[in-house]
Amino acid sequence: MKNLAIIPALFFALAFSLTATAQEMEAPAFGEFIAQFPKASLPYAFDAQALAAKPAAKAKRLDWQFYQFLPELEHSAQFSNMPVYPEPVAAFETKEYVAVLYNVARGAGKNNKTYTISVFDHAGNHIATNFVAGANKQNLTVATIQANLKAEVKTIPVSEGGL
């Protein structure tokens, strides 16, 4: 009979453990997602030298639990079998919107840079995602993101030998 008295205590411990685990697994808040990006001011510019430069250090990757805020990652992954690793670059805030800028890194492709901006309302609802700048073996796409979050984009062919 003494062993039967232990059963309610075990159920209580199991229920407490499951509750703690469920709380740990809760989806992150939109504010936590935005906090992953360094704050920056507008206008924000990508010039050819910055895009052509080799990174000084390995970029920090966005933690996987925040991928849910970037619905275009799943769409992007459909076109390549290489894993996608978003690297936070900057966060911008205007009166109406919040935007995050990130590099969509793929596998070991260090020569390709694909900078994308995702725009949200202040409640965290996704509005749009667009490519704004990047570099590959053929082109550099330079951009300036204006205060209204519109980007002026220009593509520059990379000559033989490049920058």
Side-chain angles (χ1 to χ4, degrees):
M1 289 303 249
K2 286 183 179 180
N3 290 343
L4 293 178
I6 294 175
I7 292 175
L10 289 175
F11 279 122
F12 176 75
L14 179 61
F16 179 76
S17 174
L18 290 174
T19 302
T21 302
Q23 288 173 350
E24 290 171 6
M25 294 179 64
E26 281 184 29
F30 182 65
E32 293 173 301
F33 165 67
I34 297 298
Q36 302 300 301
F37 295 79
K39 297 230 182 277
S41 59
L42 295 167
Y44 189 91
F46 287 96
D47 62 14
Q49 286 74 24
L51 288 170
K54 299 287 183 208
K58 185 173 180 174
K60 180 183 180 281
R61 293 180 175 168
L62 186 68
D63 291 333
W64 68 267
Q65 71 265 27
F66 297 110
Y67 284 28
Q68 67 177 320
F69 293 102
L70 302 172
E72 287 295 316
L73 290 180
E74 184 175 340
H75 178 72
S76 175
Q78 292 174 353
F79 296 100
S80 175
N81 60 358
M82 295 293 291
V84 176
Y85 303 107
E87 300 168 346
V89 175
F92 313 105
E93 190 168 344
T94 68
K95 185 177 176 183
E96 293 102 3
Y97 305 109
V98 176
V100 294
L101 181 67
Y102 53 97
N103 179 31
V104 181
R106 288 193 182 276
K110 296 173 185 152
N111 294 331
N112 292 342
K113 297 176 185 175
T114 305
Y115 291 96
T116 303
I117 190 167
S118 289
V119 180
F120 304 86
D121 64 18
H122 284 280
N125 298 306
H126 179 259
I127 296 171
T129 296
N130 291 295
F131 166 79
V132 289
N136 60 37
K137 292 178 183 176
Q138 293 82 28
N139 299 301
L140 293 178
T141 303
V142 297
T144 300
I145 303 168
Q146 301 298 333
N148 59 3
L149 293 176
K150 290 186 179 178
E152 295 175 7
V153 179
K154 181 180 178 185
T155 301
I156 304 167
V158 175
S159 62
E160 210 47 50
L163 289 172

